[in-house]
Amino acid sequence: MSVELHRLPNGLRIVTEAMPSLESATIGLWVQVGGRHERIEENGIAHFLEHMAFKGTARRSAVQIAEEIEDVGGYINAYTSRETTAYYARVLKADVALALDVVADIVLNPVFDAGEVEIERGVILQEIGQVLDTPDDIIFDWLQAAAYPDQPMGRSILGPEDRVSAFAREDFQRFVARHYGPERMILAAAGAVDHAAIVRQAETLFAGLTPLGPEAPEAARFASGERREIKGLEQVHFALGFEAPAYRAPDYYAAQLYAQALGGGMSSRLFQEIREKRGLCYSIFAQAGACADSGMVTIYAGTSEADIGALAELTIDEMRRAAEDFSESELARARAQMKAGLLMGLESPTARAERLARLLAIWDRVPPVAETVEKIDAVSRADVLAFAASVAGAGQAALALYGPGAGAPALAALTARLAA
């Protein structure tokens, strides 16, 4: 397998990775714009725009977009995050050129028909309602808002209902004109692909785009905060967040391994101590996420009203203990799990294409998998202990709680217990 990279004069980057054993390929555009690039009055527009890409172009109706891909047995999809909007398709190798043409068309030529806007508005409002009715979804939006208050990084990707209800065709056009420049786009493909053929086609499709110039979103500022919604649910949904490194930070991998050992699997500290030994919950996990200038270790659990106090305090106790007695065997297990997850995930062309785009966006190159593995292997026990101690001593955390949790400890009590 080999990674090849080409940059058009206007700044659009094309990156491919051939996987000779495959008969299929994933190809797509990863645009470096997401929720954190929205102005407050635009909150939700990046996600709405992603939906509208499938609702018709100057050349294809919404039905034709779906049919052209599905007629050849492929599928097309998209997603919006806080820093990226992605549009991609997976097809058989004979249909890569078709997939690229369709993906380019929906990104570059959406018509934003007023009738389709109204139809899709209803779909997105239904999506918002579904999330609001799903406690273990909405809790993470609330945690994000508590951790990054009054700033783009803390706002919901879907946006509030009142904003979504007001967007018009002109709003989408302005957002695209301000953000969808070629230097902010990465065309990534993996699987049964021909790099030279993709570059030739991309030159035809994208060479006419004009660069927009540099853009710096508002900096992320992690802060202590909490949101509690007391409601008569069956469970209390509990999410706790602590600041973690950005993805270019030297201690990024130490944070990832810490989160893995703390709550990344059935052998993790939180799972063993809180679920297996004490039976205080069904679901509990920890994970570390990162963006360009910040990150967050998130711990989530669902438990009963009677057990929320004990669960919260035991979670803090395990974090404090991890800063004192994190072992070499835990590090080895977390390292093995992280490397296995990385390598197993790369057996999919979609995961490969996404990795190409993500790493190119971060580093302006694609580090070999072996380089990533070396960085994971280079993390020492002392590195993880240092990160665990920094979390315990920071005195900052974010908390979101939803359900019958009136008796849950206050955030200040939890942070004080962690630092004790």
Side-chain angles (χ1 to χ4, degrees), residues 360-376:
L360 193 57
I362 295 170
W363 300 110
D364 202 28
R365 69 184 186 94
V366 180
V369 174
E371 183 178 323
T372 302
V373 170
E374 286 175 8
K375 289 182 178 180
I376 296 170

Side-chain angles (χ1 to χ4, degrees), residues 101-179:
D101 188 70
V102 172
V103 169
D105 194 26
I106 67 173
V107 174
L108 301 182
N109 305 306
V111 293
F112 304 129
D113 176 79
E116 294 288 0
V117 169
E118 290 308 315
I119 292 170
E120 205 60 25
R121 192 192 317 279
V123 171
I124 294 172
L125 290 173
Q126 292 287 347
E127 185 178 0
I128 292 170
Q130 179 174 303
V131 170
L132 291 171
D133 282 345
T134 310
D136 54 354
D137 277 350
I138 193 63
I139 195 77
F140 296 105
D141 277 352
W142 292 350
L143 181 68
Q144 191 79 15
Y148 299 97
D150 303 317
Q151 54 188 292
M153 186 58 74
R155 296 180 197 137
S156 161
I157 298 295
L158 298 181
E161 291 185 358
D162 59 339
R163 303 252 187 241
V164 171
S165 297
F167 292 138
R169 183 172 189 265
E170 294 73 23
D171 299 308
F172 299 119
Q173 291 173 323
R174 281 192 292 267
F175 191 81
V176 168
R178 201 167 75 245
H179 295 292

